[in-house]
Structures are given as structure tokens and as C-alpha cells.
Amino acid sequence: MSTIQKEIEKRILVLDGAMGTMLQRYNFSEEDFRGERFKDYPSSLKGNNDLLSLTQPQAIADIHKLYFEAGADIVETNTFSGTTIAMADYNMEDLVYELNFESAKIAKQVATAFTELNPNKPRFVAGSIGPTNKTASMSPDVNKPEYRAVTFDELRIAYKQQVEALIDGGADVLLVETIFDTLNAKAALFAIEEVKEERQIEIPILVSGTITDASGRTLSGQTVEAFLTSVSHIPLLSVGFNCALGAEQLKPYLHRLSKETEFFTSAHPNAGLPNAFGEYDQSPEEMQLYIEDYLKDGLINIIGGCCGTNPDHIKAIAEVAQKYRPRQIPTKEAIF
């Protein structure tokens, strides 16, 4: 079976779009989130999208299928909040292993079916590892700047459990994404390296940070170059950016990233910037034009969509990505 390392050298790989955007279409009720298994659960469960891998698995599989049909090479597991730290909001810490395992299993089954239909276009599953809802670098209390809501070790332990379950469920790669605090990401990367060493395995790692606004920095204050330096001690398959910005706003930061790294590069921007209602209006055609600018400039090896994107956006992106060669990796001499 072809590996993602081989495929990324041949062509630009297409990542899927937003899971949350697609789930909103279902308008699931509290009862739908609960299903039969959790109908008497004491906590409110509506909004716990990761739980839908257990209570509405067909919907999750159908969304993966729609993205593959649109031309995606890689789909992300429905595990953005799949840590004990994030699941504490729903008192579901005990379910974390099962949530990640089943999410990876669902995505892998769909990916395998598509690969079998067309072995020349193998499909892959990226285990989605989100940032959690706590930050290790900053205090949530302005009156206590020294306070931290979570420690590095707590993050490492939580991420390790998630990583083990994603691998067991069949993830082909691990995607540490939407990084607003690089210290959180370093805990995730530490956990991945621990699992790799303990199991004597190799699994490709994708890292994707978030430039939060026009300052050009992550939420914890790092520039593009500082972020890259902070994660480059790990042998990554790719490094890139996602979320917060649309494709147009993200472009200058991808230019800077592309010039500075020997890793493959990725981007999955939002469908523009949110409107006054927090919704995304950018059409697939508009987004395609901005993405094509990346491709003309040779900035990207993996391209997809984040908030507000759906299979129509991914179809438009996949169509234009076929016309261009992937970014060529600069040599060390060119960087330094």
C-alpha cells in the first residue's frame, strides 16, 4: 500500500473541510447526541461533537464519504476535543479512549473503501489532535498572572491516551492542529514520541498552528518563525497553519513559512472571515481563487479547509490543486 510520504512527493494532497460545519446541517437535538446509550446521562451532551462517533456513527461516516467524493486525499477523525481535559466539560473523561478509537475506525473504514475503488489514489486518515480548552503558557486569571489552568504533564498524559487510541483505531498520520499555544503542542508532540518509542513504531506527524489575527502571531505570542523553531526539533511530515483566518489573510504567513522550512507545508484556512453572525460566507469559487494564488507561488504541499468549508469548497480546491506541482523543498543552503 502506498504511503503518504510517497504520495506527497508526487502531488499536492487535499485535506478535508470542516466537520463541525457539516454536523450543523443535521441540526441534532439533545436526544440525538445522547442516543440510546446515554439517554439518562446526568450532564447535557448537546454540542459534544466527538460523542457523535458513538451515537450517530453513520452521520460521521457519511461526512467522510462526502469529502472523499469531493476529492480529498486525507480526512480528519472526529476527535478535535478527544482528550480528558476537553471532555471534562461533559463529565466524559472515561470515554476518551473509546471516542478516539471508534472515530479513527469509522474514518479508516471509509478511507479503505475509497482506496479499494481507486488504488491509484490512496486515501488516508489523519488523527485530529486539537489544542484542548486550556492553555499552558498563559493565566486565565488576569489577577494571577502566575496561575496556570493546566500543566505540561497533565497535557502530556491526556494527549498520550488520545494518541494511543487514534493509532489503535487505524489513523495513518497524526495531526496536531489549531495550535494557539505552542507549549500545548509540545506536550502533544512529546506524547507522540513517547508512544512511538514504547511501541517501536513510526507514524507521520503533521503540525498546524493558528495565526489568530493581523498581528501575525499565535495566541501565545509567537511569530511564524518562532513557532516553526519551537516545533522543528521533531521530524515532522508537514508544518502549516489553519483556522482563524481566511485564505487571503493567511497567504503572507505561508510565504514566510515556506521559505524557512525543510518540512512539507500545509494550510487549511477558513472560508473567509466570519460575518456579524459568526457565519462564513465565502463561496467555493472565491476560496478557489485565493488558494490558486498559493499554488502559483509554490507555497503548499497539503491544502484543505477549516471553519465554514464544506465538500463544495473541497471539490473546488481539489480541482485547482490538480493543475499545479507541489512546493519544492528548499535546501538548507537556501534557508540559511
Side-chain angles (χ1 to χ4, degrees):
M1 181 177 169
S2 181
T3 64
I4 196 165
Q5 288 96 331
K6 287 180 184 173
E7 294 301 313
I8 202 170
E9 290 173 5
K10 295 183 203 168
R11 57 197 170 92
I12 295 168
L13 296 182
V14 177
L15 189 66
D16 62 1
M19 174 62 75
T21 298
M22 294 299 289
L23 287 172
Q24 284 173 6
R25 294 182 175 185
Y26 286 86
N27 201 23
F28 285 132
S29 65
E30 176 73 33
E31 289 70 31
D32 294 325
F33 273 90
R34 289 173 175 272
E36 188 62 29
R37 178 174 169 186
F38 301 102
K39 67 178 183 178
D40 298 321
Y41 207 78
S43 305
S44 172
L45 299 179
K46 189 173 182 181
N48 186 354
N49 285 350
D50 293 30
L51 182 62
L52 295 171
S53 294
L54 303 184
T55 56
Q56 303 291 338
Q58 192 56 53
I60 303 302
D62 288 344
I63 291 169
H64 291 322
K65 184 168 178 278
L66 287 171
Y67 279 125
F68 278 139
E69 286 173 346
D73 298 289
I74 309 164
V75 296
E76 301 171 57
T77 55
N78 180 40
T79 54
F80 187 79
S81 300
T83 57
T84 50
I85 293 166
M87 279 294 143
D89 287 355
Y90 300 97
N91 300 307
M92 286 194 148
E93 297 96 321
D94 293 347
L95 280 173
V96 162
Y97 183 90
E98 186 183 1
L99 286 171
N100 284 279
F101 179 86
E102 291 300 328
S103 294
K105 187 176 164 187
I106 291 166
K108 186 64 174 177
Q109 286 172 343
V110 180
T112 300
F114 272 83
T115 300
E116 286 172 353
L117 284 172
N118 183 4
N120 293 323
K121 185 179 167 70
R123 311 301 179 100
F124 303 99
V125 172
S128 172
I129 300 171
T132 83
N133 48 6
K134 294 182 179 177
T135 167
S137 292
M138 297 174 288
S139 171
D141 185 347
V142 292
N143 297 311
K144 287 186 177 179
E146 78 286 0
Y147 174 69
R148 296 293 181 269
V150 70
T151 67
F152 183 92
D153 219 39
E154 286 168 342
L155 285 164
R156 176 190 66 80
I157 292 164
Y159 280 129
K160 188 175 180 183
Q161 183 182 18
Q162 182 177 31
V163 166
E164 288 173 334
L166 288 170
I167 292 171
D168 291 346
D172 301 295
V173 301
L174 296 171
L175 170 59
V176 182
E177 64 165 316
T178 321
I179 299 163
F180 60 79
D181 182 346
T182 309
L183 193 55
N184 288 37
K186 287 171 85 74
L189 293 171
F190 192 99
I192 292 168
E193 291 302 305
E194 262 194 314
V195 174
K196 284 167 59 179
E197 190 174 328
E198 286 172 9
R199 297 189 176 198
Q200 293 294 293
I201 60 168
E202 284 299 324
I203 185 165
I205 306 166
L206 286 58
V207 161
S208 186
T210 295
I211 301 293
T212 50
D213 54 34
S215 70
R217 293 173 181 264
T218 65
L219 189 66
S220 54
Q222 286 190 308
T223 61
V224 169
E225 293 79 8
F227 169 70
L228 179 62
T229 300
S230 295
V231 297
S232 291
H233 61 294
I234 299 286
L236 304 174
L237 179 67
S238 73
V239 63
F241 293 113
N242 74 291
C243 206
L245 303 177
E248 181 183 17
Q249 295 80 19
L250 196 58
K251 186 181 174 186
Y253 308 116
L254 290 173
H255 262 287
R256 285 161 58 183
L257 181 76
S258 181
K259 285 191 297 187
E260 296 288 338
T261 184
E262 289 183 278
F263 299 135
F264 293 111
T265 53
S266 72
H268 49 296
N270 293 345
L273 296 175
N275 62 25
F277 302 101
E279 296 167 346
Y280 296 87
D281 301 324
Q282 191 169 82
S283 70
E285 294 74 25
E286 287 176 292
M287 193 170 182
Q288 184 189 58
L289 288 172
Y290 292 125
I291 295 293
E292 189 162 16
D293 282 344
Y294 297 0
L295 308 179
K296 286 176 181 174
D297 292 349
L299 303 181
I300 287 295
N301 301 99
I302 302 173
I303 186 70
C306 202
C307 303
T309 58
N310 60 45
D312 292 335
H313 291 87
I314 299 307
K315 186 170 188 284
I317 290 169
E319 284 172 357
V320 75
Q322 289 179 353
K323 301 175 185 176
Y324 292 88
R325 288 181 53 75
R327 164 182 166 271
Q328 298 304 297
I329 307 295
T331 61
K332 275 188 179 169
E333 291 74 23
I335 292 175
F336 298 108

